[in-house]
């Protein structure tokens, strides 16, 4: 009897948790820097990740820089609240806070939060260093090591503007999904180099729509950033992409629902 009650209690706790989803959503929606806009949350905050999870996005994107003392942290801009990340120590950066009171998350803290659920993938952008290409490669190497250490491989897809960083990530984990952002490589070049796909600017893809078909024929994934206007979302949905990166996940979820 006592065992049955215990089992029931565990079941109730597990099923009432907000992170009860058991497999990753497949709705193409990647919340760009988390789902921040509708609720005015700080971009790249743990709160914006949580919101993307609650919306049921397929992925939540975030950006990673390395501090002067080698700590990987999550932020979009090169500076955090006015303090340059690459030339500041982690301790120095802790003197600043997000507007909602959160501190600057380390990659480990971010991955730990993301791993509490299994519905939303973590789209890990390896930011190119402003200091050197060598440093970009080091950020890529440390990023893959951090993901492996946290056993978060199943959750993580990588994206990067750094071609060299992308190649390093592929070398470090040949099974990793690494997509390229810059838009200066053809699908054939990306395939040859071992990339998973591209995530290119929507305007570039509108000018070169043949790249979408080429990528699909090569078995590469197709994604675009940052698709916010309804007409662009509809145009891109018509191309049957794998993912769409947007600041408007609620709108995109609604458009996709309408097409079912
Ligand atoms: Mg980004």
């Amino acid at each position: 009897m006592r065992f049955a009650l215990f089992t029931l209690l565990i079941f109730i706790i597990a099923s009432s948790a907000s992170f009860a989803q058991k497999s990753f959503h497949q709705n193409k929606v990647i919340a760009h820097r988390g789902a921040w806009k509708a609720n005015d949350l700080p971009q790249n905050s743990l709160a914006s990740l949580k919101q993307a999870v609650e919306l049921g996005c397929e992925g939540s994107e975030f950006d990673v820089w390395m501090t002067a003392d080698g700590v990987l942290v999550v932020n979009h801009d090169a500076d955090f609240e006015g303090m340059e990340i690459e030339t500041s120590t982690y301790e120095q950066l802790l003197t600043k806070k997000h507007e909602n009171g959160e501190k600057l998350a380390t990659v480990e803290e971010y991955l730990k939060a993301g791993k509490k659920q299994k519905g939303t993938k973590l789209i890990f952008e390896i930011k190119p260093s402003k200091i050197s290409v060598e440093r970009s490669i080091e950020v890529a190497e440390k990023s893959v090591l951090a993901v492996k250490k946290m056993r978060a491989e199943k959750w993580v897809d990588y994206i990067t503007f750094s071609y060299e960083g992308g190649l390093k990530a592929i070398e470090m984990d040949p099974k990793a999904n690494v997509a390229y952002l810059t838009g200066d490589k053809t699908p054939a070049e990306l395939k040859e180099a071992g990339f998973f796909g591209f995530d290119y600017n929507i305007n570039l893809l509108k000018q070169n729509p043949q790249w979408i078909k080429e990528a699909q024929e090569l078995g590469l994934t197709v994604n675009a950033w940052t698709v916010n206007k309804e007409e662009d979302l509809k145009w891109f949905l018509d191309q049957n992409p794998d993912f769409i990166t947007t600041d408007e996940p609620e709108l995109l979820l609604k458009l996709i629902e309408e097409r079912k």
Side-chain angles (χ1 to χ4, degrees), residues 142-154:
K142 282 195 163 202
S143 294
V144 177
L145 288 174
V147 169
K148 286 186 177 180
K149 188 178 147 213
M150 295 296 292
R151 302 205 172 150
E153 293 97 324
K154 214 167 45 175

Side-chain angles (χ1 to χ4, degrees), residues 43 70 86 90 103 205:
Q43 298 176 3
E86 290 199 277
Y90 177 60
K103 71 177 190 69
L205 290 179

Side-chain angles (χ1 to χ4, degrees), residues 227-243:
V227 194
N228 293 333
K229 282 189 273 181
E230 185 162 336
E231 59 177 286
D232 286 343
L233 289 166
K234 286 178 170 169
W235 177 84
F236 198 43
L237 276 171
D238 288 341
Q239 315 304 313
N240 195 26
D242 297 275
F243 316 106

Side-chain angles (χ1 to χ4, degrees), residues 85-211:
I85 294 173
E86 290 199 277
T87 55
S88 305
T89 64
Y90 177 60
E91 285 297 316
Q92 286 169 331
L93 288 158
L94 285 181
T95 61
K96 304 281 183 180
K97 289 222 191 298
H98 278 294
E99 276 180 16
N100 68 345
E102 280 183 39
K103 71 177 190 69
L104 181 66
T106 63
V107 155
E108 282 80 4
E109 288 162 349
Y110 197 92
L111 293 174
K112 192 176 169 198
K115 275 187 69 184
K116 288 182 182 158
Q117 53 82 45
K118 285 186 178 155
T120 301
K121 290 196 82 171
L122 308 174
I123 313 303
F124 187 129
E125 182 176 345
I126 301 165
K127 279 285 181 191
S129 170
K130 288 172 172 284
I131 297 169
S132 67
V133 173
E134 289 70 29
R135 205 169 194 273
S136 295
I137 294 169
E138 190 188 347
V139 176
E141 186 171 5
K142 282 195 163 202
S143 294
V144 177
L145 288 174
V147 169
K148 286 186 177 180
K149 188 178 147 213
M150 295 296 292
R151 302 205 172 150
E153 293 97 324
K154 214 167 45 175
W155 281 261
V156 171
D157 286 353
Y158 299 91
I159 53 174
T160 187
F161 283 98
S162 168
Y163 189 69
E164 293 78 8
L167 293 178
K168 188 69 188 176
I170 294 164
E171 179 197 317
M172 295 283 297
D173 183 359
K175 284 192 197 152
N177 296 333
V178 185
Y180 185 55
L181 294 164
T182 307
D184 59 348
K185 303 282 179 198
T186 64
E189 287 171 318
L190 294 177
K191 177 77 179 174
E192 174 72 23
F195 282 86
F196 166 66
F198 67 60
D199 179 359
Y200 282 174
N201 182 286
I202 182 65
N203 295 319
L204 185 77
L205 290 179
K206 281 166 96 177
Q207 287 157 21
N208 301 278
Q210 76 283 2
W211 279 6

Side-chain angles (χ1 to χ4, degrees), residues 32-33 44 61-64 75-76 123-127 159 161 181 199 225-226 245:
H32 181 234
R33 309 177 196 169
N44 272 313
E61 189 258 3
F62 62 105
D63 306 280
V64 173
N75 193 59
H76 178 263
I123 313 303
F124 187 129
E125 182 176 345
I126 301 165
K127 279 285 181 191
I159 53 174
F161 283 98
L181 294 164
D199 179 359
W225 57 269
T226 303
T245 303

